Amino acid sequence: MQSEGTWSGPQSPGGVLTPYPAGARSGGFLHGATVDLPPAERDPVMVTERLRTMRDRYRIDTVSVYGMERWDADGGTGEKDRFFAALAGLGLRVVVRLEGYDPARFAFGPADVDRLRADHAQLIGYLSAPRHRHLVAYLGINMPLDDPDVQARLGGIDAPLLAERQPRYARAAVAAVRDLLNRGGARDIDVYLGVFYGWDNSYRPPSYRSAGADGYVLTSYSYPIGGPADRHASDPVLINEPRLRETMRRFIDQYGRRAPVVVEYGFHTAAYHAGRSPDQTAGLVADDAAKRRALTATTRLYCTAYPSVRGTMYFGFNIYTTEGHPPARLDFALTPSPR
């Protein structure tokens, strides 16, 4: 699926913070968001209500979840069964992130591929079942290039060894995941690879094109030009459009204009910190009014300017993270939350 280069629709309806206002749907453009579903929220009523809210109020049609391989600690499938039943009943789909890795040992080597396979074999078998596979938008393989311990283990972010190992790992990881899908008869589930050029665009990763992935997940966050922009800023200033376009230029240079890609991004606010800027400024804008405009402006840019962008995945629907030095709680969430 690809976007068709059209966009219409007002700002977020009813004051809701969402990247997907009414009328914004364009062809098969994926309207995604990552959601945190702790064990307490995986009962049939709560998971259905959460997903219905995402669909009806925030206009999200695809959800992304972390750590599904760790669901059902009792060894059964009840939590996954309830989640997939809710997806099917609401007409939603899921992106399953294959994110887990051992930060103490990971080195983009064969042993890491073996661990990826072992840790996710049972889950991929579950997803491959005929009643589940049509609900999976794609599987996303993590490339943990941003982990400083991984970088240091291989000589630093610019080290030849790190650059050499990444494409080999990507090829082996895609092959391993596809083998598990093939064993389950689910050859039609797409396998995507993560691509990241660094929070400040300073990374120079090699191309993973030789892995033959079905598509890519590009992590690309806006950074403020000067101070955090407010709602009066123009769209290009509000989302630092030149920076986003430069990241897309680099992606296209490496993967071509036709490579399917989903862009992951997020925004948080200085107002959450009484107007002071936290150490982590990726996605920082002034307040919720600016955030509301930035959400729609960012998705509009990808939907209209880049036919190969399959959709956007907002981070994260109900997620507040603690980042930076000193650490600070960041309001990436679309949903309101008490301090």
Side-chain angles (χ1 to χ4, degrees), residues 91-338:
L92 301 176
R93 294 202 297 165
V94 64
V95 167
V96 178
R97 308 171 75 118
L98 310 182
E99 292 271 343
Y101 68 99
D102 183 353
R105 294 186 291 172
F106 189 92
F108 288 106
D112 302 306
V113 178
D114 292 342
R115 281 192 287 271
L116 173 74
R117 183 184 183 106
D119 290 347
H120 296 92
Q122 187 174 10
L123 172 61
I124 292 174
Y126 179 90
L127 300 173
S128 299
R131 65 185 181 278
H132 302 142
R133 64 180 68 153
H134 69 286
L135 299 173
V136 180
Y138 59 84
L139 305 183
I141 298 177
N142 181 28
M143 298 287 287
L145 187 59
D146 62 327
D147 188 319
D149 291 334
V150 174
Q151 296 173 12
R153 193 169 296 124
L154 296 174
I157 189 61
D158 296 318
L161 183 58
L162 180 57
E164 174 188 331
R165 286 196 177 185
Q166 289 174 70
R168 291 193 304 192
Y169 175 82
R171 288 192 295 271
V174 169
V177 171
R178 281 197 176 134
D179 179 62
L180 292 171
L181 290 170
N182 291 344
R183 289 170 183 265
R187 294 176 176 84
D188 55 340
I189 293 181
D190 286 342
V191 180
Y192 277 38
L193 274 171
V195 175
F196 184 51
Y197 296 110
W199 299 112
D200 56 357
N201 264 355
S202 64
Y203 294 0
R204 296 293 183 266
S207 172
Y208 311 143
R209 199 169 185 172
S210 63
D214 298 297
Y216 303 90
V217 180
L218 176 64
T219 300
S220 181
Y221 281 63
S222 300
Y223 271 75
I225 302 173
D230 63 22
R231 65 184 183 277
H232 302 296
S234 66
D235 283 356
V237 170
L238 182 62
I239 65 174
N240 196 345
E241 183 176 321
R243 177 190 177 88
L244 300 185
R245 286 186 177 273
E246 171 60 18
T247 304
M248 281 300 300
R249 184 196 64 76
R250 293 181 60 185
F251 176 83
I252 291 169
D253 284 349
Q254 286 192 308
Y255 299 99
R257 294 187 176 277
R258 296 185 179 181
V261 57
V262 171
V263 181
E264 179 175 282
Y265 73 90
F267 286 100
H268 63 108
T269 71
Y272 194 70
H273 306 274
R276 298 184 303 273
S277 294
D279 178 67
Q280 171 59 282
T281 59
L284 182 66
V285 292
D287 52 27
D288 277 355
K291 182 175 176 178
R292 183 173 295 111
R293 280 195 51 223
L295 292 168
T296 53
T298 301
T299 295
R300 181 188 300 113
L301 171 67
Y302 291 120
C303 181
T304 59
Y306 299 101
S308 66
V309 174
R310 183 184 175 188
T312 56
M313 184 63 63
Y314 183 79
F315 177 86
F317 175 71
N318 59 337
I319 297 175
Y320 288 71
T321 65
T322 300
E323 301 178 22
H325 304 282
R329 190 169 187 251
L330 308 180
D331 58 328
F332 281 106
L334 301 176
T335 57
S337 174

